[in-house]
Amino acid sequence: GKSVMVTGAGGSIGSELCREILKHEPRRLILLEISEFSLYRLQQDLSDQDVHRTVPVLGNILDEERLSRILTEHEVQTVFHAAAYKHVPLVEANPLEGLKNNVLGTKKLVEVCQQSHVQTFILISTDKAVRPTNIMGATKRLSEICLQAIFSNKKEGQITKFSMVRFGNVLDSSGSVIPKFRKQIKDRLPLTVTHPDITRFFMTIQEAAELVIQA
């Protein structure tokens, strides 16, 4: 019965999150997505569920004024923040864009949520934020620190409750190595494993979405 917004709604985690949220019958579900095609595809996927509850919004988390209007107009109570650049090699090659989107975007969104009296904010982070060895992991760790700093300095009357959830390898998510392995097997190429002694643990996209909702 709540008004809920998912950022990065068209991504692999975001879209599965939307499907799971709709099962809980929200009053309204705001689908915030920067990619027109991803948003269109998500709307098509959700057409067999209660499409009348969903509101597709093309937008960027760096646009504070737009964010404020969306949150106020739709009286958003819960925000699931899934929007992020998460491909490790791409963020490594474009560190400033990774920093701007993952850190500054999160900071702006959190501040607008506080000002708009959003009740609950859930940041979807990554296990790569633990002692990060790459720029993507470092940007996600910085976004976690931003969240903690903003919460510890909250002013009187600011009610937003912050949560963060980290998970690791998600099968067939857009950042997953599995599609790459599958293509290598299909093309009869050797698998580019990180190290022969490494053990990889995976969870499904649905399990990841459920974990986020529990958080």
Side-chain angles (χ1 to χ4, degrees):
K2 288 189 175 182
S3 181
V4 180
M5 183 171 84
V6 177
T7 72
S12 48
I13 301 296
S15 57
E16 184 59 37
L17 201 47
C18 291
R19 292 184 196 97
E20 292 298 316
I21 290 166
L22 281 173
K23 292 177 186 175
H24 293 273
E25 299 187 352
R27 176 163 53 90
R28 192 180 291 117
L29 176 59
I30 318 301
L31 315 170
L32 182 68
E33 175 57 55
I34 196 170
S35 163
E36 181 192 28
F37 177 68
S38 297
L39 189 57
Y40 169 76
R41 189 176 56 190
L42 175 62
Q43 271 220 294
Q44 297 303 303
D45 288 348
L46 296 180
S47 61
D48 58 339
Q49 286 182 268
D50 191 352
V51 73
H52 303 296
R53 291 178 198 263
T54 62
V55 180
V57 177
L58 270 173
N60 190 325
I61 55 170
L62 288 159
D63 187 343
E64 290 176 82
E65 194 178 318
R66 183 94 198 281
L67 287 173
S68 183
R69 278 205 311 273
I70 294 163
L71 293 172
T72 304
E73 182 184 340
H74 298 289
E75 299 174 330
V76 175
Q77 295 157 283
T78 302
V79 171
F80 290 94
H81 181 35
Y85 289 147
K86 57 187 178 185
H87 286 269
V88 172
L90 284 179
V91 177
E92 208 71 21
N94 301 274
L96 289 179
E97 282 303 310
L99 194 70
K100 187 166 76 173
N101 191 66
N102 294 0
V103 181
L104 293 182
T106 299
K107 180 180 179 289
K108 286 178 188 294
L109 179 61
V110 167
E111 288 170 342
V112 173
C113 283
Q114 276 193 324
Q115 291 158 13
S116 304
H117 305 293
V118 169
Q119 293 171 6
T120 310
F121 181 97
I122 298 97
L123 170 69
I124 296 169
S125 190
T126 170
D127 62 345
K128 293 175 181 67
V130 184
R131 294 187 298 278
T133 56
N134 53 58
I135 291 167
M136 192 281 278
T139 63
K140 295 301 277 185
R141 179 66 190 119
L142 266 172
S143 66
E144 292 178 354
I145 291 168
C146 274
L147 215 67
Q148 291 169 315
I150 290 167
F151 180 74
S152 64
N153 291 302
K154 69 176 181 177
K155 298 177 180 68
E156 196 176 332
Q158 291 180 331
I159 61 166
T160 311
K161 177 185 174 184
F162 296 125
S163 302
M164 298 179 280
V165 57
R166 293 169 173 169
F167 43 76
N169 300 309
V170 180
L171 281 167
D172 270 350
S173 71
S174 61
S176 172
V177 75
I178 291 296
K180 185 177 181 180
F181 284 172
R182 194 181 286 128
K183 188 177 187 305
Q184 288 172 334
I185 292 167
K186 185 181 174 184
D187 296 343
R188 298 177 181 274
L189 296 169
L191 294 185
T192 50
V193 293
T194 314
H195 191 281
D197 295 334
I198 201 167
T199 303
R200 285 181 182 268
F201 297 91
F202 290 93
M203 67 198 310
T204 66
I205 293 177
Q206 187 176 9
E207 284 173 326
E210 287 172 358
L211 181 68
V212 173
I213 291 172
Q214 284 172 18

